[in-house]
Amino acid sequence: MWTDTHCHLDAPEFDPDRVVAQRAEARALGVARCVIPAVERRNWDTVRALAHRLGDAYALGIHPLYVPHAQDDDLLALDAALAAHRDDPRLVAVGEIGLDFFVPALGEPAMRERQTHFYRAQLRLARRHGLPVILHVRRSADALLKGLRELPTGGGIAHAFNGSAQQAQAFIDQGFALGFGGALTFEPARQLRRLAAELSLDALVLETDAPDIPPQWLYVTAADRSAGVPQGVNHPRELPRIGAVLAALRGLGADALAHATSANARRVLPRLAALA
Ligand SMILES: [Zn+2]
């Protein structure tokens, strides 16, 4: 049984009329649970309703790429939403939150500060509501870790992790698991593949980040895209195949990896255990 700890099943790429059947397809392949993170105030009700409809779990938060459009009172609204749904067993984390210093416009000094303001405020909310966090990490691992040292949440997931072994260990020391997905299916991603193969098995969770980060077998090259071929849409049904790649890198059976990474997900997102 696999756990997809990060999939945006409310994204426009997934037709709301077909998403139940699509989710069933993934379930038939052994994807027992998906975690659907929110990205902005406007989609909080959607991800909650979807998690209930699909028998999955969700997180509520403001994603760093949505910070430019977010208002300060969205943080008050998040506090209220976390309080309103505190007894909802499907609410498993505050997320997706974090920092993105890869997108040039978000790396400008004023926007770095704005992102940091939302990140730290959401760490405080996670602490207040006793929830782990799901972190977006892109060129921002050290800044995220600084926030966690000052405002520890007890843990969560550093999603789509692609940092150094030292940064990985620093997240692990803060109670985090590291999320790996489609990126490790690319042979040229040597550093990432080495990290995924060498980190302690306890530290790993799997994710698709659907509809994004397509695995190698769905990836459409920039040249083909400029010729009009659309980028492949990632989906939770790809998780077992992505997991099989990681299992092979580690010299493990796929079942053993599925079992271990699902147990890790339940450890870092404890409310998942109650759903199982
Ligand atoms: Zn995401």
Side-chain angles (χ1 to χ4, degrees):
M1 288 297 203
W2 301 93
T3 305
D4 187 344
T5 57
H6 202 108
C7 46
H8 297 279
L9 290 175
D10 64 311
E13 285 83 348
F14 299 108
D15 178 346
D17 295 331
R18 290 205 52 232
V19 74
V20 172
Q22 291 179 326
R23 180 65 189 86
E25 233 180 283
R27 191 165 271 122
L29 294 171
V31 183
R33 197 74 69 196
C34 287
V35 179
I36 311 170
V39 296
E40 60 172 337
R41 183 177 181 172
R42 277 199 318 179
N43 85 332
W44 295 343
D45 287 341
T46 311
V47 299
R48 181 168 50 81
L50 197 55
H52 280 267
R53 214 171 132 211
L54 300 176
D56 283 320
Y58 68 103
L60 296 178
I62 302 164
H63 189 295
L65 295 182
Y66 291 77
V67 161
H69 307 289
Q71 308 294 320
D72 275 321
D73 71 2
D74 291 356
L75 294 166
L76 296 175
L78 180 58
D79 191 17
L82 294 169
H85 303 295
R86 63 161 21 114
D87 296 325
D88 182 352
R90 299 190 184 280
L91 172 62
V92 298
V94 172
E96 173 172 0
I97 69 171
L99 297 168
D100 192 310
F101 298 147
F102 174 77
V103 175
L106 289 174
E108 301 288 331
M111 201 41 81
R112 280 175 94 101
E113 209 173 294
R114 187 85 178 135
Q115 285 196 66
T116 304
H117 168 66
F118 275 85
Y119 171 52
R120 294 178 63 94
Q122 292 184 93
L123 289 181
R124 287 194 190 91
L125 290 178
R127 289 158 58 88
R128 177 178 308 161
H129 294 277
L131 287 167
V133 294
I134 296 174
L135 293 180
H136 173 97
V137 192
R138 207 152 55 147
R139 301 259 171 97
S140 59
D142 292 334
L144 289 169
L145 286 160
K146 179 171 184 282
L148 291 174
R149 283 188 204 101
E150 289 163 15
L151 299 163
T153 63
I157 294 173
H159 133 73
F161 185 76
N162 195 356
S164 68
Q166 288 75 9
Q167 288 166 334
Q169 190 56 49
F171 279 109
I172 293 165
D173 293 344
Q174 290 290 329
F176 279 73
L178 308 167
F180 289 93
L184 63 75
T185 63
F186 293 84
E187 273 174 34
R190 285 199 194 83
Q191 197 198 331
L192 184 68
R193 285 161 75 99
R194 190 180 320 124
L195 194 65
E198 290 176 0
L199 279 172
S200 160
L201 184 57
D202 283 0
L204 309 182
V205 294
L206 282 166
E207 58 178 39
T208 56
D209 201 21
D212 298 323
I213 318 191
Q216 168 270 322
W217 51 88
L218 291 180
Y219 186 76
V220 174
T221 62
D224 284 349
R225 269 176 281 150
S226 63
V229 182
Q231 184 54 276
V233 174
N234 200 0
H235 187 284
R237 68 172 163 250
E238 305 298 338
L239 195 75
R241 195 167 162 194
I242 294 168
V245 173
L246 179 57
L249 286 173
R250 295 187 66 99
L252 263 180
D255 285 350
L257 183 76
H259 186 266
T261 52
S262 290
N264 295 342
R266 293 191 296 270
R267 186 187 76 239
V268 294
L269 304 178
R271 286 177 162 209
L272 277 183
L275 283 183

PDB file of all heavy atoms in Angstrom, residues 10 14 19 21 40 60-62 67 74 81-82 97 104 125 135 140 146 149 180 205 220 233 248 250:
ATOM      1  N   ASP A  10      -7.092  19.028  -6.760  1.00  0.00           N
ATOM      2  CA  ASP A  10      -8.059  20.074  -7.092  1.00  0.00           C
ATOM      3  C   ASP A  10      -7.574  20.937  -8.261  1.00  0.00           C
ATOM      4  O   ASP A  10      -8.271  21.856  -8.672  1.00  0.00           O
ATOM      5  CB  ASP A  10      -8.302  20.984  -5.878  1.00  0.00           C
ATOM      6  CG  ASP A  10      -7.035  21.725  -5.482  1.00  0.00           C
ATOM      7  OD1 ASP A  10      -5.968  21.066  -5.361  1.00  0.00           O
ATOM      8  OD2 ASP A  10      -7.081  22.953  -5.310  1.00  0.00           O
ATOM      9  N   PHE A  14      -7.248  18.266 -13.365  1.00  0.00           N
ATOM     10  CA  PHE A  14      -8.103  17.135 -13.008  1.00  0.00           C
ATOM     11  C   PHE A  14      -9.558  17.575 -13.122  1.00  0.00           C
ATOM     12  O   PHE A  14     -10.005  18.443 -12.389  1.00  0.00           O
ATOM     13  CB  PHE A  14      -7.784  16.634 -11.601  1.00  0.00           C
ATOM     14  CG  PHE A  14      -6.370  16.157 -11.456  1.00  0.00           C
ATOM     15  CD1 PHE A  14      -5.440  16.890 -10.736  1.00  0.00           C
ATOM     16  CD2 PHE A  14      -5.951  14.992 -12.088  1.00  0.00           C
ATOM     17  CE1 PHE A  14      -4.124  16.467 -10.634  1.00  0.00           C
ATOM     18  CE2 PHE A  14      -4.638  14.556 -11.988  1.00  0.00           C
ATOM     19  CZ  PHE A  14      -3.720  15.299 -11.270  1.00  0.00           C
ATOM     20  N   VAL A  19     -12.530  12.982 -11.437  1.00  0.00           N
ATOM     21  CA  VAL A  19     -11.486  12.784 -10.432  1.00  0.00           C
ATOM     22  C   VAL A  19     -11.771  11.573  -9.541  1.00  0.00           C
ATOM     23  O   VAL A  19     -10.846  10.877  -9.117  1.00  0.00           O
ATOM     24  CB  VAL A  19     -11.239  14.088  -9.622  1.00  0.00           C
ATOM     25  CG1 VAL A  19     -12.352  14.372  -8.649  1.00  0.00           C
ATOM     26  CG2 VAL A  19      -9.895  14.060  -8.932  1.00  0.00           C
ATOM     27  N   ALA A  21     -13.192   8.714 -10.459  1.00  0.00           N
ATOM     28  CA  ALA A  21     -12.776   7.532 -11.226  1.00  0.00           C
ATOM     29  C   ALA A  21     -11.247   7.466 -11.330  1.00  0.00           C
ATOM     30  O   ALA A  21     -10.646   6.389 -11.230  1.00  0.00           O
ATOM     31  CB  ALA A  21     -13.401   7.573 -12.615  1.00  0.00           C
ATOM     32  N   GLU A  40      -4.000  28.331  -1.405  1.00  0.00           N
ATOM     33  CA  GLU A  40      -4.455  29.695  -1.103  1.00  0.00           C
ATOM     34  C   GLU A  40      -5.850  29.633  -0.486  1.00  0.00           C
ATOM     35  O   GLU A  40      -6.545  28.622  -0.590  1.00  0.00           O
ATOM     36  CB  GLU A  40      -4.490  30.564  -2.374  1.00  0.00           C
ATOM     37  CG  GLU A  40      -5.431  30.030  -3.446  1.00  0.00           C
ATOM     38  CD  GLU A  40      -5.614  30.977  -4.618  1.00  0.00           C
ATOM     39  OE1 GLU A  40      -5.393  32.191  -4.458  1.00  0.00           O
ATOM     40  OE2 GLU A  40      -6.011  30.494  -5.692  1.00  0.00           O
ATOM     41  N   LEU A  60      -4.208  22.680   5.073  1.00  0.00           N
ATOM     42  CA  LEU A  60      -4.650  24.041   4.786  1.00  0.00           C
ATOM     43  C   LEU A  60      -3.486  25.005   4.968  1.00  0.00           C
ATOM     44  O   LEU A  60      -2.771  24.922   5.981  1.00  0.00           O
ATOM     45  CB  LEU A  60      -5.790  24.461   5.729  1.00  0.00           C
ATOM     46  CG  LEU A  60      -7.098  23.676   5.607  1.00  0.00           C
ATOM     47  CD1 LEU A  60      -8.113  24.175   6.637  1.00  0.00           C
ATOM     48  CD2 LEU A  60      -7.685  23.782   4.194  1.00  0.00           C
ATOM     49  N   GLY A  61      -3.293  25.899   3.992  1.00  0.00           N
ATOM     50  CA  GLY A  61      -2.209  26.857   4.119  1.00  0.00           C
ATOM     51  C   GLY A  61      -2.138  27.773   2.913  1.00  0.00           C
ATOM     52  O   GLY A  61      -2.973  27.705   2.008  1.00  0.00           O
ATOM     53  N   ILE A  62      -1.111  28.617   2.920  1.00  0.00           N
ATOM     54  CA  ILE A  62      -0.871  29.578   1.833  1.00  0.00           C
ATOM     55  C   ILE A  62       0.515  29.285   1.265  1.00  0.00           C
ATOM     56  O   ILE A  62       1.533  29.404   1.956  1.00  0.00           O
ATOM     57  CB  ILE A  62      -0.966  31.030   2.354  1.00  0.00           C
ATOM     58  CG1 ILE A  62      -2.350  31.282   2.976  1.00  0.00           C
ATOM     59  CG2 ILE A  62      -0.669  32.030   1.214  1.00  0.00           C
ATOM     60  CD1 ILE A  62      -2.413  32.524   3.856  1.00  0.00           C
ATOM     61  N   VAL A  67       1.753  33.900  -2.278  1.00  0.00           N
ATOM     62  CA  VAL A  67       1.928  35.013  -1.338  1.00  0.00           C
ATOM     63  C   VAL A  67       1.732  36.384  -2.015  1.00  0.00           C
ATOM     64  O   VAL A  67       1.129  37.272  -1.426  1.00  0.00           O
ATOM     65  CB  VAL A  67       3.299  34.907  -0.628  1.00  0.00           C
ATOM     66  CG1 VAL A  67       3.730  36.226  -0.006  1.00  0.00           C
ATOM     67  CG2 VAL A  67       3.230  33.816   0.443  1.00  0.00           C
ATOM     68  N   ASP A  74      -5.780  36.889   5.380  1.00  0.00           N
ATOM     69  CA  ASP A  74      -5.841  35.456   5.051  1.00  0.00           C
ATOM     70  C   ASP A  74      -5.249  34.613   6.192  1.00  0.00           C
ATOM     71  O   ASP A  74      -5.640  33.457   6.390  1.00  0.00           O
ATOM     72  CB  ASP A  74      -5.069  35.148   3.754  1.00  0.00           C
ATOM     73  CG  ASP A  74      -5.759  35.732   2.522  1.00  0.00           C
ATOM     74  OD1 ASP A  74      -6.863  36.308   2.656  1.00  0.00           O
ATOM     75  OD2 ASP A  74      -5.174  35.621   1.425  1.00  0.00           O
ATOM     76  N   ALA A  81     -10.018  28.796  10.139  1.00  0.00           N
ATOM     77  CA  ALA A  81     -10.326  27.535   9.453  1.00  0.00           C
ATOM     78  C   ALA A  81      -9.711  26.348  10.208  1.00  0.00           C
ATOM     79  O   ALA A  81     -10.334  25.292  10.337  1.00  0.00           O
ATOM     80  CB  ALA A  81      -9.814  27.580   8.017  1.00  0.00           C
ATOM     81  N   LEU A  82      -8.490  26.526  10.709  1.00  0.00           N
ATOM     82  CA  LEU A  82      -7.848  25.436  11.457  1.00  0.00           C
ATOM     83  C   LEU A  82      -8.625  25.144  12.744  1.00  0.00           C
ATOM     84  O   LEU A  82      -8.747  23.995  13.157  1.00  0.00           O
ATOM     85  CB  LEU A  82      -6.393  25.791  11.776  1.00  0.00           C
ATOM     86  CG  LEU A  82      -5.467  25.898  10.552  1.00  0.00           C
ATOM     87  CD1 LEU A  82      -4.114  26.509  10.943  1.00  0.00           C
ATOM     88  CD2 LEU A  82      -5.256  24.536   9.886  1.00  0.00           C
ATOM     89  N   ILE A  97       3.153  25.381   2.772  1.00  0.00           N
ATOM     90  CA  ILE A  97       3.752  26.660   3.131  1.00  0.00           C
ATOM     91  C   ILE A  97       5.251  26.585   2.813  1.00  0.00           C
ATOM     92  O   ILE A  97       5.758  25.522   2.467  1.00  0.00           O
ATOM     93  CB  ILE A  97       3.526  27.004   4.619  1.00  0.00           C
ATOM     94  CG1 ILE A  97       4.332  26.077   5.539  1.00  0.00           C
ATOM     95  CG2 ILE A  97       2.041  26.906   4.964  1.00  0.00           C
ATOM     96  CD1 ILE A  97       4.310  26.501   7.013  1.00  0.00           C
ATOM     97  N   PRO A 104      12.363  34.295 -10.006  1.00  0.00           N
ATOM     98  CA  PRO A 104      13.052  35.581  -9.816  1.00  0.00           C
ATOM     99  C   PRO A 104      12.202  36.651  -9.117  1.00  0.00           C
ATOM    100  O   PRO A 104      12.686  37.314  -8.194  1.00  0.00           O
ATOM    101  CB  PRO A 104      13.406  35.997 -11.249  1.00  0.00           C
ATOM    102  CG  PRO A 104      13.473  34.705 -12.020  1.00  0.00           C
ATOM    103  CD  PRO A 104      12.466  33.779 -11.374  1.00  0.00           C
ATOM    104  N   LEU A 125       0.959  29.335  13.512  1.00  0.00           N
ATOM    105  CA  LEU A 125      -0.383  28.719  13.505  1.00  0.00           C
ATOM    106  C   LEU A 125      -0.282  27.203  13.661  1.00  0.00           C
ATOM    107  O   LEU A 125      -1.089  26.586  14.359  1.00  0.00           O
ATOM    108  CB  LEU A 125      -1.128  29.070  12.210  1.00  0.00           C
ATOM    109  CG  LEU A 125      -1.562  30.535  12.089  1.00  0.00           C
ATOM    110  CD1 LEU A 125      -2.256  30.782  10.750  1.00  0.00           C
ATOM    111  CD2 LEU A 125      -2.508  30.915  13.243  1.00  0.00           C
ATOM    112  N   LEU A 135       6.182  21.517   3.720  1.00  0.00           N
ATOM    113  CA  LEU A 135       7.013  22.637   3.277  1.00  0.00           C
ATOM    114  C   LEU A 135       7.363  22.559   1.795  1.00  0.00           C
ATOM    115  O   LEU A 135       7.801  21.514   1.304  1.00  0.00           O
ATOM    116  CB  LEU A 135       8.334  22.658   4.057  1.00  0.00           C
ATOM    117  CG  LEU A 135       8.259  22.960   5.547  1.00  0.00           C
ATOM    118  CD1 LEU A 135       9.678  22.943   6.132  1.00  0.00           C
ATOM    119  CD2 LEU A 135       7.602  24.318   5.805  1.00  0.00           C
ATOM    120  N   SER A 140      15.727  27.365  -0.856  1.00  0.00           N
ATOM    121  CA  SER A 140      15.346  28.040   0.386  1.00  0.00           C
ATOM    122  C   SER A 140      15.557  27.178   1.620  1.00  0.00           C
ATOM    123  O   SER A 140      15.059  27.520   2.692  1.00  0.00           O
ATOM    124  CB  SER A 140      13.868  28.452   0.301  1.00  0.00           C
ATOM    125  OG  SER A 140      13.046  27.311   0.091  1.00  0.00           O
ATOM    126  N   LYS A 146      16.128  27.890   9.379  1.00  0.00           N
ATOM    127  CA  LYS A 146      16.264  28.964  10.373  1.00  0.00           C
ATOM    128  C   LYS A 146      14.902  29.209  11.044  1.00  0.00           C
ATOM    129  O   LYS A 146      14.811  29.313  12.265  1.00  0.00           O
ATOM    130  CB  LYS A 146      16.775  30.228   9.666  1.00  0.00           C
ATOM    131  CG  LYS A 146      16.951  31.430  10.552  1.00  0.00           C
ATOM    132  CD  LYS A 146      17.665  32.547   9.771  1.00  0.00           C
ATOM    133  CE  LYS A 146      17.958  33.756  10.638  1.00  0.00           C
ATOM    134  NZ  LYS A 146      16.753  34.593  10.857  1.00  0.00           N
ATOM    135  N   ARG A 149      14.093  26.392  13.441  1.00  0.00           N
ATOM    136  CA  ARG A 149      14.846  26.390  14.705  1.00  0.00           C
ATOM    137  C   ARG A 149      14.240  27.395  15.674  1.00  0.00           C
ATOM    138  O   ARG A 149      14.213  27.165  16.880  1.00  0.00           O
ATOM    139  CB  ARG A 149      16.318  26.711  14.450  1.00  0.00           C
ATOM    140  CG  ARG A 149      17.075  25.525  13.887  1.00  0.00           C
ATOM    141  CD  ARG A 149      18.573  25.769  13.815  1.00  0.00           C
ATOM    142  NE  ARG A 149      19.125  24.893  12.799  1.00  0.00           N
ATOM    143  CZ  ARG A 149      19.437  25.273  11.558  1.00  0.00           C
ATOM    144  NH1 ARG A 149      19.327  26.551  11.195  1.00  0.00           N
ATOM    145  NH2 ARG A 149      19.886  24.398  10.700  1.00  0.00           N
ATOM    146  N   PHE A 180      10.130  12.572  -1.837  1.00  0.00           N
ATOM    147  CA  PHE A 180      10.750  12.291  -3.132  1.00  0.00           C
ATOM    148  C   PHE A 180       9.681  11.835  -4.117  1.00  0.00           C
ATOM    149  O   PHE A 180       8.736  11.144  -3.734  1.00  0.00           O
ATOM    150  CB  PHE A 180      11.825  11.200  -2.994  1.00  0.00           C
ATOM    151  CG  PHE A 180      13.055  11.664  -2.276  1.00  0.00           C
ATOM    152  CD1 PHE A 180      13.186  11.486  -0.911  1.00  0.00           C
ATOM    153  CD2 PHE A 180      14.064  12.306  -2.973  1.00  0.00           C
ATOM    154  CE1 PHE A 180      14.320  11.940  -0.243  1.00  0.00           C
ATOM    155  CE2 PHE A 180      15.209  12.758  -2.312  1.00  0.00           C
ATOM    156  CZ  PHE A 180      15.333  12.572  -0.943  1.00  0.00           C
ATOM    157  N   VAL A 205       9.564   9.863   2.453  1.00  0.00           N
ATOM    158  CA  VAL A 205       8.175   9.643   2.051  1.00  0.00           C
ATOM    159  C   VAL A 205       8.089   9.866   0.542  1.00  0.00           C
ATOM    160  O   VAL A 205       8.948  10.530  -0.050  1.00  0.00           O
ATOM    161  CB  VAL A 205       7.163  10.556   2.799  1.00  0.00           C
ATOM    162  CG1 VAL A 205       7.106  10.215   4.274  1.00  0.00           C
ATOM    163  CG2 VAL A 205       7.465  12.035   2.577  1.00  0.00           C
ATOM    164  N   VAL A 220       7.740  15.677 -21.287  1.00  0.00           N
ATOM    165  CA  VAL A 220       7.821  16.166 -22.662  1.00  0.00           C
ATOM    166  C   VAL A 220       8.912  17.236 -22.698  1.00  0.00           C
ATOM    167  O   VAL A 220       8.898  18.181 -21.906  1.00  0.00           O
ATOM    168  CB  VAL A 220       6.457  16.744 -23.110  1.00  0.00           C
ATOM    169  CG1 VAL A 220       6.566  17.387 -24.480  1.00  0.00           C
ATOM    170  CG2 VAL A 220       5.397  15.638 -23.115  1.00  0.00           C
ATOM    171  N   VAL A 233       0.866  15.171 -17.728  1.00  0.00           N
ATOM    172  CA  VAL A 233       0.202  15.445 -16.460  1.00  0.00           C
ATOM    173  C   VAL A 233       0.493  14.296 -15.500  1.00  0.00           C
ATOM    174  O   VAL A 233       0.170  13.145 -15.778  1.00  0.00           O
ATOM    175  CB  VAL A 233      -1.326  15.601 -16.665  1.00  0.00           C
ATOM    176  CG1 VAL A 233      -2.030  15.738 -15.325  1.00  0.00           C
ATOM    177  CG2 VAL A 233      -1.618  16.812 -17.542  1.00  0.00           C
ATOM    178  N   ALA A 248      14.441   0.159  -6.492  1.00  0.00           N
ATOM    179  CA  ALA A 248      15.580  -0.415  -7.225  1.00  0.00           C
ATOM    180  C   ALA A 248      16.870   0.315  -6.855  1.00  0.00           C
ATOM    181  O   ALA A 248      17.919  -0.317  -6.664  1.00  0.00           O
ATOM    182  CB  ALA A 248      15.322  -0.341  -8.725  1.00  0.00           C
ATOM    183  N   ARG A 250      17.600   1.592  -4.113  1.00  0.00           N
ATOM    184  CA  ARG A 250      17.995   1.207  -2.749  1.00  0.00           C
ATOM    185  C   ARG A 250      18.203  -0.288  -2.601  1.00  0.00           C
ATOM    186  O   ARG A 250      18.533  -0.745  -1.497  1.00  0.00           O
ATOM    187  CB  ARG A 250      16.939   1.684  -1.745  1.00  0.00           C
ATOM    188  CG  ARG A 250      16.812   3.204  -1.663  1.00  0.00           C
ATOM    189  CD  ARG A 250      15.875   3.620  -0.544  1.00  0.00           C
ATOM    190  NE  ARG A 250      16.397   3.282   0.770  1.00  0.00           N
ATOM    191  CZ  ARG A 250      17.020   4.115   1.591  1.00  0.00           C
ATOM    192  NH1 ARG A 250      17.198   5.376   1.241  1.00  0.00           N
ATOM    193  NH2 ARG A 250      17.468   3.706   2.766  1.00  0.00           N
TER     194      ARG A 250
END
